[in-house]
Amino acid sequence: MTTAIPFSFKEEISSPNQRPSFKYIEISFTKACLPRFLSFSNFYSAYISIRACMGSGEYETLVKRYDLMEAPDSEADAYDSFRLDLFNLATPTLCDKIRVYLFQPCELWLNFTIHDIAVLSDGSDQTPHSPSVQISTEQTGEESVPEGIGGDFFLCIEHVRGVIDRIKQFNG
């Protein structure tokens, strides 16, 4: 049985008018957990990378590159929904944050993101979770990001209603 894991998130962007462009969504959990599934709807993100923070402030790469669009310059699969089994993509890892890096190399799509985000546990971490969503609105300024993914960032919170609806949907 899957259980929704409560989280807050913030979306950060780098070089929005340059290509290739990237941004990341940082998902913070209320306490350390073992996320099993990451569910979301795409909006023109070509591919993603996923990194997890183990509490020490160091991030470990879980997924180096996962394609969301077959062709970044085509609209055909730009709105697909995904449910990634993180146990199949990476070694199960107890973490307190995950970052989903979104990439879009095509000049046609200036806006890209993922929305309707849900993080689910299969109960193997033995941690009870009650559904709640907390949205961070604080400005974070300069962030330390993986080598080769640099830039200035600004806060951009979107799709709150979709996140709440998705959590309600998984809780039946």
Side-chain angles (χ1 to χ4, degrees), residues 125-140:
D125 61 347
Q126 303 300 315
T127 309
H129 298 289
S130 59
S132 68
V133 178
Q134 304 163 8
I135 305 301
S136 172
T137 57
E138 51 188 69
Q139 195 76 23
T140 59

Side-chain angles (χ1 to χ4, degrees), residues 16 20 28 38 50 62-63 71 84 100 104-105 109 120 160:
S28 300
L38 177 64
I50 302 172
L62 299 179
V63 178
L84 305 182
V100 181
Q104 180 46 267
W109 321 123
L120 304 167
V160 174

Side-chain angles (χ1 to χ4, degrees), residues 22-42:
F22 86 95
K23 62 174 81 174
Y24 71 84
I25 295 175
E26 183 169 279
I27 299 169
S28 300
F29 305 111
T30 54
K31 62 181 181 174
C33 63
L34 192 60
R36 172 70 191 260
F37 299 103
L38 177 64
S39 175
F40 59 88
S41 296
N42 189 25

Side-chain angles (χ1 to χ4, degrees), residues 31-105:
K31 62 181 181 174
C33 63
L34 192 60
R36 172 70 191 260
F37 299 103
L38 177 64
S39 175
F40 59 88
S41 296
N42 189 25
F43 185 78
Y44 292 99
S45 297
Y47 60 94
I48 62 172
S49 296
I50 302 172
R51 303 189 82 203
C53 182
M54 313 312 165
S56 64
E58 302 271 335
Y59 281 84
E60 177 182 314
T61 300
L62 299 179
V63 178
K64 186 166 182 136
R65 179 181 173 141
Y66 188 90
D67 291 334
L68 302 179
M69 296 175 67
E70 188 174 326
D73 59 346
S74 171
E75 197 170 357
D77 51 2
Y79 304 104
D80 288 353
S81 293
F82 295 85
R83 180 173 172 155
L84 305 182
D85 185 340
L86 298 178
F87 287 9
N88 286 339
L89 298 172
T91 304
T93 304
L94 193 66
C95 60
D96 55 8
K97 292 182 203 172
I98 59 175
R99 282 187 180 170
V100 181
Y101 290 86
L102 313 170
F103 299 89
Q104 180 46 267

